[in-house]
Structures are given as structure tokens and as C-alpha cells.
Amino acid sequence: MGTLLAGLRDGEDGRSQFARFVFVGAVSSALYALLFLALDGIGDQPANLAGAIGSTLLANELHRRLTFHADGRVGWFTAQWEGGGLAAIGLVATSLALAGLDQLTGDASWELQVLLIGAVTGAIGLARFVALRAWVFTARALSRR
């Protein structure tokens, strides 16, 4: 078990990185949910924006340090700028999904809103992992810096 955990923690293969990516996604999603629920009184779109910003900042930093072990090669600003650009796609998608849900139901429960956001974020998360691994934290991109 210790060898497995060490491999997940230190491995540079795609499976180890994906396992860490999922862990970071769970942590940042929990922060998103807390912010969304705490701020839902100001409206679902502003709460979505605040949750997306807070969770993206956390996720980008954790991906830089933990998921891709790139903290010695990629600076904080670069990770935030490039990772944040990818996360903007997720913000647009969740905003559109919330607007569509609002059109369909009029006033959906917070549980349904969070489930919808989770589903949309999960689908985009898979694409984001591929993009981060292939573009932001790739050895080719790191050699340019």
C-alpha cells in the first residue's frame, strides 16, 4: 500500500497525474460548492463566478505543485494565466447551463444547480486534464520558459 501511495504521490506517468488531478478537482470543487452556497443569496450567476474564481485559483496552484510537480519550472502567474484561460471555458459552460436550467425550471433548487454544475465541470475537467498535460505543463512548453 505504501508503494502504491508513493507512486501516486511521486509518479510522473499519466495515471498518477490523473489520480492527483481528480484529487485536486475534488478539493477545488468542494471550495466551489462552499462559495456557491454561501453566496447564492446574491444570485446564482454571481455565486457561480465567485466559486469559479476561487476554485480555479486553488486548482491551478495545486496542479502546478502537486498534480504536475511543476512548481520549480512554472511560475505562479504562468500557471494562473494559462490554467485560468482553460477554466474560463468551464465558467462559460456552467453559466450557460445555469441559465438554461433557469429557463426550464424558473427557480431550481440549489441541489439541482450544484449537480448540474458538477456534471458540466466533470466533463470539462477531462478535457482540461488533457490540455494541461499536453500544453501548460508539457516538457516542450517548459523548455520555452
Side-chain angles (χ1 to χ4, degrees):
M1 184 64 144
T3 304
L4 174 65
L5 292 176
L8 288 174
R9 182 189 67 229
D10 301 328
E12 294 301 327
D13 61 301
R15 285 185 293 184
S16 296
Q17 288 177 340
F18 186 71
R20 293 188 302 263
F21 183 85
V22 169
F23 173 75
V24 167
V27 170
S28 63
S29 292
L31 175 62
Y32 172 90
L34 288 172
L35 289 170
F36 184 82
L37 293 175
L39 299 172
D40 193 40
I42 63 172
D44 58 353
Q45 293 293 350
N48 181 45
L49 178 62
I53 290 170
S55 65
T56 296
L57 289 170
L58 176 65
N60 288 339
E61 182 61 11
L62 289 176
H63 287 318
R64 183 176 80 95
R65 291 176 183 249
L66 178 67
T67 304
F68 298 104
H69 299 146
D71 53 320
R73 302 179 310 256
V74 176
W76 181 87
F77 182 79
T78 300
Q80 293 299 332
W81 178 253
E82 293 178 359
L86 293 169
I89 295 167
L91 176 61
V92 169
T94 56
S95 295
L96 290 173
L98 284 170
L101 181 63
D102 196 41
Q103 288 294 315
L104 289 173
T105 65
D107 189 27
S109 69
W110 68 266
E111 296 95 344
L112 185 56
Q113 290 174 338
V114 169
L115 284 173
L116 175 66
I117 291 167
V120 171
T121 301
I124 290 173
L126 290 174
R128 190 167 183 251
F129 173 74
V130 171
L132 286 172
R133 190 165 195 265
W135 174 50
V136 177
F137 298 113
T138 185
R140 184 180 63 242
L142 296 175
S143 67
R144 294 188 313 232
R145 296 177 182 156

